[in-house]
Amino acid sequence: IKPTGKAFSGNLIRQPLVHMERLELLRNVCRDTALRNLSHTAVSKFVLDRIFVCDKHKILFCQTPKVGNTQWKKVLIVLNGAFSSIEEIPENIVHDHEKNGLPRLSSFSDSEIKKRLNLYFKFFIVRDPFERLISAFKDKFVHNPRFEPWYRHEIAPGIIRKYRKNRTETKGLQFEDFVRYLGDPNHRWLDVQFGDHIIHWVTYVELCAPCEITYSVIGHHETLEDDAPYILKAAGIDHLVSYPTIPPGITVYNKTKVERYFSGISKRDIRRLYARFEGDFKLFGYREPNFLLN
């Protein structure tokens, strides 16, 4: 990460405060009984499968897709010693969990899991929940690379069959269909059929169990330029590895894009979507998207 004067202004002093406030907010929302159903989840195998382990440096990282996770996985792969630098890791190895030397927490025994959850440095990254859903939709159903045909050929038709209002339309999956599926209180029966593919759009609560697991730091995509160095320092690994340079503008919340995607969608569907993701908005301090709801 390039040393800029900015880093030394107020950020280094303010950072610990920002992170304390985030964790305090999280704890308060976790205690809010009105949000209980939206903030709590079991630490199931599904959650333990999301958490990657670096034993050498006692770090756990919970993966939240569409939030720059590939870069953090690369950082941990290097720390675990499978490769000596981030540049050397072939792209096809990063997500190949047989070859990348990054074990999942689910691969350990119950007592070993407990020990790591109690003692290790634990973190994950979030971003505005609706912007993340747009990113997942674009990535999986619009620009889907040729090696993941499953989304287009299995998941999209499944969602269209159940949620498309106008059956005669032959277009591929539209954002509207996707929103209707996500906001359906009975989305689970499709989720089961889709298996682990749902990690790209289920809530942060379901992925990382933030009210059950005591995380050390929660990074925000929108402030990653400050958060990434802070996480490396807090985890005690800033002298070993640096987070890859972030292209300018990539982490900024884009309200215009969110408005554009939601423009043709009924208020009822948006409200139902918000009702499902409200826990994510509240736990991590994202403002309710009133500009879409009213």
Side-chain angles (χ1 to χ4, degrees), residues 30-142:
C30 289
R31 282 198 291 266
D32 181 347
T33 46
L35 284 171
R36 210 178 150 79
N37 297 344
L38 290 166
S39 58
H40 289 267
T41 193
V43 184
S44 59
K45 182 180 184 299
F46 182 77
V47 170
L48 297 170
D49 274 345
R50 311 279 76 79
I51 299 177
F52 294 100
V53 182
C54 173
D55 274 335
K56 198 170 170 187
H57 299 280
K58 299 193 164 47
I59 296 168
L60 300 179
F61 168 62
C62 184
Q63 182 189 15
T64 50
K66 297 289 136 306
V67 193
N69 283 272
T70 303
Q71 305 295 8
W72 286 108
K73 277 169 100 169
K74 288 178 182 174
V75 166
L76 294 180
I77 289 167
V78 169
L79 288 173
N80 265 348
F83 292 87
S84 56
S85 79
I86 284 174
E87 293 70 41
E88 282 171 42
I89 309 169
E91 285 301 319
N92 58 340
I93 294 277
V94 180
H95 301 295
D96 184 335
H97 298 118
E98 320 291 73
K99 298 194 181 124
N100 66 13
L102 254 194
R104 295 170 190 265
L105 193 52
S106 55
S107 65
F108 295 87
S109 70
D110 284 355
S111 63
E112 291 291 324
I113 290 171
K114 217 181 228 104
K115 191 174 83 186
R116 284 167 177 76
L117 283 174
N118 284 332
L119 298 173
Y120 282 19
F121 177 88
K122 300 172 285 293
F123 77 102
F124 66 103
I125 314 290
V126 294
R127 74 189 285 191
D128 176 85
F130 279 5
E131 203 170 33
R132 171 182 163 239
L133 293 177
I134 291 170
S135 177
F137 173 76
K138 276 168 48 181
D139 188 49
K140 296 301 171 198
F141 300 106
V142 183

Side-chain angles (χ1 to χ4, degrees), residues 3-12 225-226:
T4 55
K6 181 182 127 206
F8 301 104
S9 56
N11 287 349
L12 287 179
E225 286 86 345
D226 291 333

Side-chain angles (χ1 to χ4, degrees), residues 160-201:
I160 288 168
R161 263 197 306 277
K162 185 157 167 50
Y163 296 103
R164 179 157 297 174
K165 290 250 163 79
N166 179 0
R167 283 302 160 78
T168 54
E169 247 183 57
T170 51
K171 291 202 291 264
L173 187 74
Q174 301 297 295
F175 191 61
E176 185 181 14
D177 308 319
F178 188 54
V179 164
R180 213 171 276 137
Y181 149 60
L182 293 175
D184 180 1
N186 304 313
H187 59 86
R188 297 226 186 274
W189 74 270
L190 268 189
D191 288 357
V192 171
Q193 297 168 46
F194 297 159
D196 270 4
H197 294 280
I198 63 171
I199 63 172
H200 295 280
W201 52 78

